[in-house]
Amino acid sequence: LLAVQLVISIKQILAIDVTVRQIFEMPTIAKLTSSFAGLPSKTLSHDLLKQGKRIRQLPVSYCQQLFWRWAKDERWESSFHMPVILLMRGVLDKDAMQKSLQAILNRHESLRTNFLVENGKVLMYITDDADINFRIVEHVSIDTTNLSLSIKELWEKKLRKPFNLECGSLMRAFLIVLSDKETVLILDTHHLISDGWSVNVINQELNYFYQLYTTNKHINTQPLEIQYSDYVSYQQRCHETPVYKQQLDYWTKHLADINSIPRFPLDFNKALAVTGSLKFRTINMPIKLADEVYKYCRETEITPYTLFMALFHVSLYMYSKSTQLVVSSPVAVRSHETSQSVGLYLNFMLIKSC
């Protein structure tokens, strides 16, 4: 993700096209800048992305299509909430906060999107006018000595509710009043319309609009020139080209030998897996070991991501004894043109063991 952000920043500031591969091949700023010599400045015309006439109903993106099946399953529904919790100190202007959130909703089509199924196909449809789902929560019992844990419990037990994907806003805001000078904002968006990058975009715009509304400056809430629906339409047009079909044929043949699911020894009943209960385990690496890892990566000219992915493949082999393994890794599919847009700009890169 950081590499993608660097690529976008270089294109935005220097108007030079750089690939993510170049970022990893040039481990220092000096080497990277030297590779710019002789490169022409380029800009991608917005006309390539824009779909022309605004379409209010169109097929979902490929990633949304993949997520849809899981998002509709109540066992996984909670995994598609993307809550952001902001602690704000000082006297808060609640009216300005609500107007700021409404401005963000008006600015991004993705936040005004719902989904429906017609003839077996999942479609997104965009509403022109929508009101922000904004709720002020007062008179709640909060243990301020452990504020983080208390807010998390309040969110999980009382505030988090399933989204209705067919109607209603897929972004909700809860303003929890702790005192006259301390407020917590929980902003929850559904993963079908947002991603990690989008969360940062929303946070930046929230700060921007709030400052404007509280200082009574002129507010410009014009929609973005490039919306998520433009990206979806562009993606689908590209997938109808001969070049895409050639690439699809190549990778279909290249992965044709992966025809079985690896068998792993299990220490639990398989029936438990269908409950949808998930657990995450965080592994903290000692600083000394981390230093050795980075040193090894520098000496061998590989990234830590490459090293850990290789170790993961080795671990999978140890348990499955399968030499043909494919692991998917999420990647951001952002460009300079879409860097300020909210949406599910996500794809999955397949990594096959040799």
Side-chain angles (χ1 to χ4, degrees):
L1 184 58
L2 290 176
V4 174
Q5 290 176 335
L6 182 57
V7 167
I8 291 175
S9 297
I10 291 173
K11 184 170 184 179
Q12 182 177 6
I13 298 171
L14 303 178
I16 294 176
D17 280 330
V18 180
T19 65
V20 173
R21 180 174 181 175
Q22 285 176 277
I23 299 296
F24 288 122
E25 289 179 344
M26 309 293 177
T28 66
I29 297 297
K31 288 185 177 181
L32 183 61
T33 52
S34 65
S35 69
F36 295 164
L39 289 178
S41 296
K42 299 179 180 179
T43 56
L44 178 63
S45 171
H46 282 193
D47 293 337
L48 293 177
L49 280 173
K50 290 192 71 173
Q51 56 183 312
K53 183 180 179 182
R54 305 309 299 170
I55 300 175
R56 294 306 175 199
Q57 183 171 303
L58 70 161
V60 296
S61 69
Y62 294 102
C63 189
Q64 287 176 322
Q65 190 174 359
L66 176 66
F67 278 11
W68 173 260
R69 180 177 57 185
W70 299 327
K72 290 291 290 180
D73 192 325
E74 62 180 14
R75 297 172 300 176
W76 309 100
E77 198 277 336
S78 62
S79 302
F80 286 87
H81 289 258
M82 301 183 66
V84 176
I85 301 176
L86 302 174
L87 173 63
M88 297 169 287
R89 291 190 169 93
V91 179
L92 183 75
D93 188 330
K94 300 183 182 66
D95 184 58
M97 176 60 68
Q98 184 171 0
K99 289 181 178 178
S100 301
L101 292 168
Q102 184 65 52
I104 296 172
L105 189 72
N106 295 341
R107 182 171 165 80
H108 297 277
E109 286 184 354
S110 183
L111 299 177
R112 293 180 275 112
T113 297
N114 289 105
F115 302 87
L116 57 87
V117 178
E118 284 189 358
N119 300 321
K121 292 185 178 180
V122 184
L123 304 175
M124 66 168 76
Y125 65 94
I126 303 162
T127 56
D128 291 325
D129 299 312
D131 293 327
I132 184 67
N133 189 331
F134 183 77
R135 175 183 169 191
I136 297 177
V137 182
E138 298 181 296
H139 310 299
V140 291
S141 178
I142 296 291
D143 181 9
T144 55
T145 60
N146 196 343
L147 185 59
S148 178
L149 181 61
S150 297
I151 294 297
K152 182 180 179 182
E153 289 180 351
L154 176 65
W155 158 248
E156 293 180 346
K157 294 180 180 179
K158 295 185 178 181
L159 300 181
R160 185 180 68 192
K161 303 294 181 182
F163 282 104
N164 185 340
L165 301 178
E166 286 78 18
C167 63
S169 176
L170 298 185
M171 181 174 77
R172 299 168 178 160
F174 302 91
L175 199 62
I176 305 170
V177 180
L178 302 179
S179 67
D180 291 340
K181 294 186 177 181
E182 199 167 52
T183 314
V184 172
L185 175 68
I186 301 180
L187 194 59
D188 184 26
T189 56
H190 197 282
H191 206 350
L192 274 173
I193 63 167
S194 181
D195 56 17
W197 190 302
S198 298
V199 170
N200 292 329
V201 172
I202 292 173
N203 287 343
Q204 292 170 6
E205 293 190 357
L206 180 61
N207 180 65
Y208 171 76
F209 282 121
Y210 183 78
Q211 293 295 329
L212 291 183
Y213 277 115
T214 52
T215 55
N216 295 316
K217 293 183 178 180
H218 175 69
I219 305 296
N220 179 11
T221 58
Q222 292 298 317
L224 290 170
E225 188 172 358
I226 299 298
Q227 297 280 358
Y228 183 69
S229 61
D230 293 307
Y231 160 76
V232 174
S233 179
Y234 174 73
Q235 180 190 64
Q236 291 165 354
R237 293 198 306 271
C238 287
H239 286 196
E240 295 298 324
T241 62
V243 173
Y244 170 78
K245 292 177 180 178
Q246 289 175 2
Q247 293 177 343
L248 180 61
D249 289 341
Y250 172 83
W251 286 110
T252 301
K253 293 176 182 177
H254 189 68
L255 299 173
D257 56 338
I258 307 298
N259 53 17
S260 62
I261 300 176
R263 295 183 177 275
F264 293 96
L266 304 177
D267 61 353
F268 60 88
N269 189 329
K270 286 185 178 181
L272 295 177
V274 302
T275 63
S277 179
L278 299 174
K279 288 186 178 180
F280 296 90
R281 181 176 180 181
T282 301
I283 301 176
N284 295 316
M285 185 183 300
I287 295 178
K288 185 176 180 180
L289 178 58
D291 291 340
E292 290 297 321
V293 167
Y294 289 121
K295 179 182 177 182
Y296 175 81
C297 290
R298 286 192 299 269
E299 291 174 348
T300 56
E301 297 185 342
I302 63 172
T303 64
Y305 174 87
T306 303
L307 175 62
F308 286 116
M309 180 58 71
L311 293 174
F312 184 54
H313 273 268
V314 171
S315 299
L316 292 177
Y317 168 75
M318 288 174 59
Y319 288 100
S320 68
K321 303 304 179 185
S322 175
T323 58
Q324 296 294 316
L325 295 166
V326 176
V327 173
S328 67
S329 181
V331 292
V333 285
R334 295 271 183 169
S335 65
H336 165 59
E337 290 73 22
T338 59
S339 61
Q340 296 304 310
S341 173
V342 171
L344 184 58
Y345 293 93
L346 192 65
N347 207 338
F348 291 89
M349 177 172 58
L350 297 182
I351 303 173
K352 178 184 176 184
S353 55
C354 298

